[in-house]
Amino acid sequence: MRIGFIGLGVMGAPMARHLADAGHQIVTVLNRSPLPAGLDAAIVGSSAEVARQSEVVITMLPDTPDVERVLVGQQGVIEGIAPGTLVIDMSSISPIATARLADTLRKSGAGYLDAPVSGGEVGAKAASLTIMVGGPKAEFEAALPLFSKLGKNITLIGERNGAGQICKIANQIIVALNIEAVAEALVFASKAGCDPATVRTALMGGFAASRVLEVHGERMIARAFAPGFRIRLHQKDLGLALESARALGVSLPNTATAQELMNACSAVDGGAEADHSSLVRALERLSGHQLSTEGV
């Protein structure tokens, strides 16, 4: 199959490589990212041309405006799409914009799935992503062989477009609040005079155990803030959560707090590009205490 893949960044590059390794021909347009090493792909001049040469078009882009530009902007996918082509947006964007984009593309005869992912760069490289899908069941089943090359936990959340994005927002709320909880607990224990590494080890054997405590707790102690998932991207996702909550009349007080802590991290030079586990640094500044000097 000829697959158009637009967005060969940290996540998109290994995802496209998995599809190429499975025997699919990748067609792409180069914007901000160069062609990744080891990826055999046909390079064309525009997103419209990607659509003309592809049976399926996948986008993996940073934010809502990027997806809108690539899909329905000048020389966008919509200008080259043929009836029956399936568009799969695997970015994490606004569910409201997703529904609007799906409606626009369907009027051109295309299919549309929103299929945001969780698992970060590690999951993208290991083809172990969690994939949350919104859209018609028939289109989901048609895309399932492709999804199976990218992830392990693949779920059709609902048959309306935007359902996948709603699930991804819920995921990002849980992850952010877990990061905040782990950071608070470790800063508290450390300032009280306990070794945070020992506290983390003890907690991993109890009900407080979590993947965030395991992975990001270790990052916080080791000061290992090279980005797996950047603060600025989690800021964006929590912004989508709060925007959607306002529209729905839902109160998300702890999500708002996590967003403010990420805002505080982002205000420090380079903080927006650090891993989201670096949220702990905002709490450290408020407490006048750093967990560890390891790695500094």
Side-chain angles (χ1 to χ4, degrees):
M1 182 179 290
R2 289 178 67 81
I3 299 173
F5 202 109
I6 303 174
L8 298 174
V10 170
M11 298 285 289
M15 293 166 70
R17 195 174 289 113
H18 291 312
L19 294 171
D21 289 346
H24 299 292
Q25 173 62 51
I26 304 299
V27 182
T28 193
V29 57
L30 298 181
N31 293 317
R32 285 176 285 192
S33 302
L35 187 68
L39 176 62
D40 183 18
I43 301 171
V44 298
S46 67
S47 298
E49 189 59 29
V50 170
R52 289 187 189 98
Q53 296 194 24
S54 304
E55 300 163 71
V56 173
V57 176
I58 297 174
T59 51
M60 187 63 183
L61 298 162
D63 204 349
T64 304
D66 303 296
V67 177
E68 290 175 328
R69 173 180 52 80
V70 163
L71 292 185
V72 298
Q74 186 175 7
Q75 284 294 296
V77 165
I78 197 167
E79 294 186 15
I81 204 89
T85 303
L86 179 60
V87 176
I88 306 172
D89 178 36
M90 303 191 77
S91 320
S92 295
I93 68 167
S94 162
I96 297 168
T98 291
R100 184 174 64 247
L101 287 168
D103 183 61
T104 300
L105 283 156
R106 289 189 186 284
K107 287 176 181 176
S108 296
Y112 193 99
L113 295 172
D114 52 291
V117 303
S118 179
E121 182 181 5
V122 172
K125 288 181 175 178
S128 61
L129 293 168
T130 290
I131 305 175
M132 301 154 267
V133 188
K137 186 176 181 181
E139 292 176 6
F140 169 76
E141 290 177 346
L144 202 51
L146 301 181
F147 290 148
S148 69
K149 302 301 180 185
L150 305 175
K152 300 297 184 187
N153 181 20
I154 305 161
T155 307
L156 178 62
I157 305 301
E159 291 202 58
R160 66 180 181 88
N161 286 117
Q165 298 294 352
I166 292 292
C167 186
K168 177 60 188 289
I169 288 172
N171 178 88
Q172 296 303 80
I173 291 171
I174 291 170
V175 172
L177 269 57
N178 268 272
I179 291 173
E180 182 183 357
V182 168
E184 287 191 18
L186 293 181
V187 170
F188 162 76
S190 179
K191 191 158 188 181
C194 294
D195 174 30
T198 303
V199 169
R200 172 185 163 277
T201 299
L203 294 178
M204 282 301 299
F207 201 54
S210 70
R211 184 70 172 152
V212 169
L213 178 62
E214 178 189 358
V215 175
H216 290 326
E218 184 176 30
R219 279 176 171 264
M220 293 172 193
I221 294 164
R223 321 307 289 173
F225 298 134
F229 188 75
R230 289 172 170 82
I231 282 275
R232 66 175 171 81
L233 294 177
H234 213 145
Q235 277 183 293
K236 178 260 297 183
D237 291 342
L238 295 186
L240 293 174
L242 295 170
E243 175 189 351
S244 300
R246 282 193 296 272
L248 293 168
V250 173
S251 177
L252 301 178
N254 291 321
T255 301
T257 299
Q259 174 74 310
E260 284 303 314
L261 290 169
M262 290 190 181
N263 290 346
C265 288
S266 186
V268 178
D269 288 346
E273 298 303 316
D275 187 78
H276 53 173
S277 61
S278 68
L279 177 146
V280 71
R281 295 195 288 200
L283 292 167
E284 290 172 335
R285 286 192 292 271
L286 289 169
S287 303
H289 177 79
Q290 185 171 297
L291 282 183
S292 169
T293 57
E294 185 175 343
V296 175

